[in-house]
Amino acid sequence: MDLRYFAWLRERIGTGHEVIETEAATVAELIEELKARSEAHAFALSDLGAVRAAVDQELVEFDASLTGAREVALFPPMTGG
Amino acid sequence: MVPVRVQEAAFDVGAELNEFTDRMQGAGAVVSFTGLTRDLAAGDLIAMEIEHFPGMTEAALGTIREEAVTRFSLQGALVIHRYGRLAPGEVIMMVATASRHRADAFAGAEFLMDFLKSRAPFWKREITASGADWVAAKDRDEAALNRW
């Protein structure tokens, strides 16, 4: 699974991209796995109210299925415009 | 002309608006909005850096634009958004909408702005002499979506 991080999530985790093996069925399960990966991951993902997710470049809720997913992106609330 | 553009380079708002307007034969109204890099209250902004998610950004803006066109029966809609490092006062982005009557063009432009603010993957960071701070999303940005 390709993981992408943006903005302060990228900075806190220390990379914008990593590839992991996962059996997680949902985004929420994946996030729990990631929090166990390192202190940096745990810190970056400590406040899920400030985290948004996209699966294969579509915004989703945390209960979204990862069946068939190739890429998950995690990032803070967006600030465009 | 591509109706959704995401680019680092500056663009000429007047030229873009004129070209858009020229193509909207039959429309009775064109509305445009231009977003600028605002200085901080202390007047010490050195630059604004805008990060985005290449690929998803274009797709999200395209979806939001199509929704606006359908919902407000727009004859056309243009979205241009920059990324990278911008100086205070520089143009960040613009939208333009065209419709038969002005109410739809105004509403379509507001709809586009409300959704691209919190549904298109851009993140702003303000650079000052004391460091760099990510701009926090505001609750009212999310609340603004509920009126649609």
Side-chain angles (χ1 to χ4, degrees):
Chain A
M1 178 86 73
D2 275 297
L3 300 180
R4 294 192 183 277
Y5 309 116
F6 292 92
W8 55 255
L9 258 143
R10 168 178 55 70
E11 292 179 336
R12 289 180 188 180
I13 289 173
T15 180
H17 179 227
E18 60 184 340
V19 181
I20 66 158
E21 295 292 326
T22 179
E23 299 294 319
T26 64
V27 173
E29 284 184 30
L30 175 66
I31 288 173
E32 286 312 306
E33 277 184 19
L34 290 173
K35 283 161 84 168
R37 247 174 112 74
S38 77
E39 279 185 30
H41 286 80
F43 172 54
L45 298 166
S46 57
D47 176 10
L48 292 184
V51 176
R52 301 289 180 268
V55 172
D56 293 331
Q57 306 200 350
E58 290 261 356
L59 276 177
V60 296
E61 302 293 330
F62 290 151
D63 61 1
S65 165
L66 294 183
T67 304
R70 294 187 311 273
E71 177 193 80
V72 175
L74 300 173
F75 41 79
M78 295 153 274
T79 53
Chain B
M1 190 170 75
V2 183
V4 168
R5 277 155 51 199
V6 180
Q7 62 186 53
E8 189 160 14
F11 59 91
D12 182 334
V13 174
E16 296 291 347
L17 186 57
N18 284 337
E19 192 185 327
F20 175 78
T21 304
D22 284 346
R23 287 185 297 108
M24 294 299 127
Q25 296 302 315
V30 169
V31 164
S32 75
F33 172 86
T34 307
L36 309 176
T37 309
R38 177 175 47 230
D39 204 344
L40 298 168
D44 60 348
L45 184 73
I46 294 170
M48 172 91 82
E49 285 181 358
I50 302 176
E51 180 172 335
H52 80 117
F53 185 174
M56 180 174 165
T57 310
E58 290 82 353
L61 291 177
T63 302
I64 295 166
R65 179 193 168 278
E66 279 173 33
E67 172 73 15
V69 167
T70 303
R71 197 158 166 158
F72 302 99
S73 304
L74 301 178
Q75 285 185 240
L78 171 68
V79 179
I80 306 175
H81 203 302
R82 295 176 64 193
Y83 61 88
R85 190 176 173 98
L86 283 74
E90 276 193 73
V91 170
I92 301 174
M93 54 83 59
M94 73 174 288
V95 301
T97 54
S99 61
R100 302 259 324 148
H101 300 284
R102 73 177 185 277
D104 286 329
F106 272 118
E110 284 213 87
F111 177 94
L112 280 172
M113 288 309 303
D114 281 350
F115 277 84
L116 79 79
K117 252 193 133 49
S118 44
R119 290 293 183 272
F122 290 103
W123 300 275
K124 291 187 183 128
R125 180 158 59 168
E126 292 164 339
I127 315 293
T128 64
S130 52
D133 283 312
W134 292 100
V135 174
K138 297 177 184 70
D139 289 341
R140 69 166 181 268
D141 292 340
E142 196 61 27
L145 303 186
N146 295 330
R147 67 178 166 139
W148 306 106

